[in-house]
Amino acid sequence: MMQAEEAYINLYKQHAKSVSKSCSDLLNGKRQAAFEKFQTLGFPKNTHEEYRHCDLREALSIDYGLNINRVKIPINPHDVFSCDVPNLSTKLFFVVNDQFYKNDKPIGLPEGVLCGSLNDLTETHARLLEPYYTRLSEKSSDGMVSFNTTFAQDGFVLYVPAGVALEKPIQLIQVLHGTVDMMANRRLLIIVEEGAKAQFLVCDHALSSRYFFSNQVTEIFVGKNASLEYYDLEMDQPNITRVSNTLVSQAASSQLLINGVTLQNGLSRNNINLCFEGEGATASLSGMALGNGNELIDNHIFVDHAVPRCNSQELYKYVLDDCAKGVFGGRILVQKGAQKTFAYQSNKNLCFTKEARMFAKPQLEIYADDVKCSHGTATGQMDEKALFYMRSRGISESEARLLLKFAFTADVLDNIRLEPLKDRMRMLVEKRFRGELAKCAGCSATNCK
Amino acid sequence: MEEKPQDIIDQVTSGEYKYGFVSDIDAESIPFGLSEDVIRLISAKKNEPDWLLDFRLKAYKHWLTLKMPDWAHLQIPEIDYQNIIYYSAPKSRTALKNLDEMDPELLKTFDKLGIPLQERQHLSGMAVDAVMDSVSVKTTFKENLAELGIIFCSFSEAVQQYPDLVRQYLGSVVSYRDNFFAALNSAVFSDGSFVYIPKRVRCPMELSTYFRINAANTGQFERTLIVADNDSYVSYLEGCTAPMRDENQLHAAIVEIIVLERSEVKYSTVQNWYPGDKNGKGGIYNFVTKRALCKGRHSKISWTQVETGSAITWKYPSCILAGDDSTGEFYSVAVTNNYQQADTGTKMIHLGKNTVSRIVSKGISAGHSQNSYRGLVKVSPKADNARNFSQCDSLLLGDKCGAHTFPYIDINNETAVVEHEATTSKINEDQLFYCNQRGISTEDAVGLIVNGYVKEVINKLPMEFAVEAQKLLQVSLEGSVG
């Protein structure tokens, strides 16, 4: 780990100019401070309380290439993917590794909406995006975040101006592709201004059998009375390590839905840091992880009730098979004076094999008295009585187990508000449970299991 | 006249410590500070065998390599371990023949504490091993217990009389390498209680001991060792009150319990040490390592605690469920007021098959206090069919206090069923209104509701303690509440 840290520190020292060469001033302006912070923080270690069960050492010991010189990856994602969710028409965008895939087609979005390459848009709309870029990431004490700011060269921006409601969901497909082991530092910036509405769907795929390390930082700003739905689907491979930090700021009376589904992965660490900065805001966070093989899925959710009258709900479910390991860390902080807070957190897990492991750490930290907060976590197996009931009705044991697994995860999927997406997710989850290739019809991405 | 809730909160938070007194007894102390010589001195004063001195010295050497842990949700002022007197014994230690020979001051102190010595002995039916500043003063009911083969004596007496038993079990549950305070205690422990229940004996009475801290600046380092042999049962009570002091006092005790096959130990604590005044000055630091090992099959350990005192409470009475079909229980009420801090909870380590554990924790915070529950439920890979249920509730009285929950749940076996739930809220206004409407003042209503809230735990206490626990709640939250 120390070696990896030093290697990257030296890499940056030697190639700082190359990193900055093709990037906007806004991206470059934040690098040095982040680099200094990374030098003190380093990569998260498993001696660190928050990373107790998430050991990144092995993943970081691989010698990844960083595409500092912005070599184009020869792939046309439009040819490979056709994530056609029936009845769901989306505006589709691609990020290949950490580069936005440009295409010349007109976007056809309402006036004022910005949607596209982070590097380009921070160049052309620097004044607009400056107050947002790194505003949340600067406060993070996670070394991966400052590492990302140091090396971030591109990514994706969605900016929805005040009062604009997007009709169609925005879909971003993030592809990992390469002929060598690669690290991708992706950066997403999502801003929904006052009274605006947006739905955003991110899908992570891998198109290569090489080792990848994706380090993603997403900064989300939900303005006053604004509404954002954020769906995150991970369908990767065992050779992928994904560290994702989602940093959220919610203004007064805003509404946010985050739904993260991990269908298949290698090692996934998802941090969500949500801070209520205005009164009367609501957040619903849910997630589901289906683990098998040697997968590790670690979701850490931190909800900061800094102001009164906010409402947060969390629901996280894990289904663990083979040698999979699930980790859930949930922390609710109710700050002094944040009265009339409602915060609920629920974590339910199923373990099926002797080798499957589950570690849960739900936490409440409360400094105000007029609040209602609760958390619950339960880990167990399938209900034998329910199994018996189904078998006595002529349903085979394997089918009965499938049904129960599916029922277990149903309420996370129910949180998805886009009906066509919900149906599609149900199908993918079912396929995944049946051990079939979980991919959409018409998609020719053969590596995408 | 209707009182505003704020008045009640004010009354609650201004509650003063009722048991604050200093008994003026001649105490024999050694100089301040900790060194190998001090340990040798303590050991020599207690006329200890060599193996015990070795144990102390090993612990001391290990302690020197450790740093005080800082992970708890506590603000602990720096402790100067060289500014503590590690041994203090009341003088006039010539053997007492009858109670009249006892120092009258000491007797008065016991009177104030309500310890049932003398004629209260028989009425209360308890055997008390009263520990006053580290040295056991008087043990009662010994004869009755001796008939059954039960050993209940001070730790130093046990070292002299039953060295084999002590040597066999000392440090077998809490090793001196366990943690910073366990190492410190193992090096300097002064006295404590020793209990041995022989095979197939059910202890006919509640065993009880009162710990008190008396001489100023004397850290008290108690060591309790309870061994329940096959098919036995014992209920053990521990209760504490300490005199009012301005300087913080450190208390780092160790309680070790070994439960063998088909045996049961019930360990109850009412802790009401001086919590400091309402500005957070003074008070005891209570850093205790308590652990029980359910070694045999079908063994059971039950911890019940009512924590109302101490400026800082930092302890996790734990259960290691090693024997198959063993059971661990933890029931706790922790009350913090003014500037008190508590970081308490339990650890349930499931090692054997078909082990069951249950955790019920009720926290009440008032004033500027911080009250945390921290717990671990760990199911090891071989612990098939483990079952756990945890419930941790927090009640907030006032908007300047904090209530926190930090449970850790580590499941390494797929057959485990583990459930945890926690809630945090203030007293329901509808309930208060309902009581008011029926002519119950807000003050009484708060009392009723708090009583109802902790009932599940108080009910687990033995009768004698349940009454005292209720009183302590009253004192802690002032007469107006509870």
Side-chain angles (χ1 to χ4, degrees), chain B residues 96-372:
Chain B
L96 301 174
K97 290 202 184 71
N98 58 55
L99 289 164
D100 300 337
E101 288 180 21
M102 256 182 153
D103 193 330
E105 278 291 320
L106 195 58
L107 279 176
K108 260 189 225 163
T109 310
F110 284 145
D111 276 347
K112 281 190 213 165
L113 284 170
I115 293 188
L117 280 173
Q118 304 193 46
E119 64 270 10
R120 279 175 287 176
Q121 247 178 10
H122 291 284
L123 289 173
S124 63
M126 288 200 293
V128 178
D129 180 17
V131 176
M132 184 125 174
D133 271 354
S134 324
V135 172
S136 185
V137 181
K138 173 81 188 169
T139 304
T140 52
F141 276 105
K142 233 176 191 171
E143 299 82 27
N144 295 5
L145 295 172
E147 274 172 29
L148 291 162
I150 294 171
I151 303 169
F152 176 37
C153 62
S154 73
F155 201 90
S156 26
E157 202 181 324
V159 169
Q160 304 298 335
Q161 295 191 10
Y162 314 100
D164 294 345
L165 272 179
V166 175
R167 198 171 176 180
Q168 185 184 349
Y169 291 108
L170 180 73
S172 66
V173 185
V174 182
S175 144
Y176 68 83
R177 309 181 73 89
D178 193 82
N179 65 59
F180 182 85
F181 296 106
L184 180 64
N185 176 291
S186 300
V188 301
F189 69 88
S190 36
D191 208 341
S193 299
F194 176 76
V195 177
Y196 175 79
I197 313 290
K199 287 187 174 115
R200 291 180 296 283
V201 170
R202 188 181 167 89
C203 185
M205 61 190 87
E206 316 271 359
L207 296 185
S208 166
T209 173
Y210 269 72
F211 294 119
R212 292 198 58 249
I213 298 175
N214 199 280
N217 294 326
T218 310
Q220 190 165 17
F221 300 92
E222 294 293 337
R223 188 110 198 173
T224 302
L225 181 56
I226 299 175
V227 182
D229 214 327
N230 297 351
D231 303 287
S232 63
Y233 167 85
V234 64
S235 168
Y236 188 87
L237 319 176
E238 171 204 315
C240 327
T241 54
M244 211 176 243
R245 288 285 172 205
D246 274 340
E247 266 178 71
N248 291 308
Q249 294 183 318
L250 175 67
H251 181 93
I254 290 182
V255 177
E256 287 180 286
I257 302 176
I258 295 108
V259 195
L260 299 176
E261 289 197 9
R262 296 173 298 279
S263 297
E264 179 179 349
V265 174
K266 198 173 146 94
Y267 193 101
S268 315
T269 310
V270 173
Q271 187 261 110
N272 182 32
W273 281 331
Y274 179 51
D277 66 12
K278 62 183 174 185
N279 298 315
K281 191 164 181 272
I284 306 284
Y285 296 168
N286 185 22
F287 304 157
V288 183
T289 309
K290 286 183 171 179
R291 197 172 300 155
L293 173 63
C294 283
K295 207 171 176 184
R297 299 189 55 184
H298 294 283
S299 53
K300 181 177 176 185
I301 170 72
S302 174
W303 297 100
T304 309
Q305 60 172 24
V306 176
E307 302 280 332
T308 59
S310 294
I312 305 175
T313 302
W314 188 7
K315 67 171 191 176
Y316 313 98
S318 309
C319 305
I320 301 172
L321 304 171
D324 291 349
D325 306 290
S326 55
T327 305
E329 288 178 350
F330 175 76
Y331 300 95
S332 164
V333 173
V335 183
T336 53
N337 197 351
N338 299 324
Y339 285 88
Q340 276 177 278
Q341 301 175 68
D343 193 321
T344 182
T346 184
K347 290 188 216 171
M348 294 290 175
I349 318 281
H350 292 258
L351 298 175
K353 295 181 177 30
N354 310 318
T355 45
V356 179
S357 64
R358 182 180 165 86
I359 301 170
V360 177
S361 165
K362 305 271 181 183
I364 302 172
S365 354
H368 293 83
S369 66
Q370 299 296 335
N371 197 332
S372 308

Side-chain angles (χ1 to χ4, degrees), chain A residues 134-152:
Chain A
T134 71
R135 196 182 104 194
L136 299 174
S137 67
E138 269 168 1
K139 292 181 217 154
S140 170
S141 56
D142 191 316
M144 296 311 294
V145 174
S146 39
F147 183 84
N148 181 290
T149 313
T150 310
F151 283 99

Side-chain angles (χ1 to χ4, degrees), chain A residues 49 357-358 360 362 364 377 381, chain B residues 405 407-409 411-412 414 420:
Chain A
E49 174 72 21
R357 301 277 183 272
M358 182 68 215
L364 295 174
T377 173
Q381 307 86 46
Chain B
T405 320
Y408 290 70
I409 295 140
I411 316 282
N412 296 298
E414 93 286 6
H420 171 96

Side-chain angles (χ1 to χ4, degrees), chain A residues 49 52 353-354 357-371 373-381, chain B residues 73 370 384 396 398 402-412 414-418 420-426:
Chain A
E49 174 72 21
R52 212 160 60 102
T353 60
K354 271 227 164 298
R357 301 277 183 272
M358 182 68 215
F359 304 97
K361 191 182 151 198
Q363 302 176 60
L364 295 174
E365 215 178 315
I366 293 160
Y367 298 93
D369 66 333
D370 191 4
V371 300
C373 300
S374 70
H375 65 207
T377 173
T379 302
Q381 307 86 46
Chain B
H73 193 91
Q370 299 296 335
D384 291 343
L396 291 151
H404 321 294
T405 320
F406 307 104
Y408 290 70
I409 295 140
D410 294 0
I411 316 282
N412 296 298
E414 93 286 6
T415 56
V417 177
V418 176
H420 171 96
E421 52 186 53
T423 60
T424 304
S425 59
K426 66 171 192 169

Side-chain angles (χ1 to χ4, degrees), chain A residues 311-329:
Chain A
N311 186 334
S312 70
Q313 297 217 12
E314 292 170 52
L315 173 66
Y316 279 81
K317 291 201 164 181
Y318 292 70
V319 180
L320 303 171
D321 236 317
D322 301 341
C323 300
K325 195 162 124 180
V327 186
F328 174 76

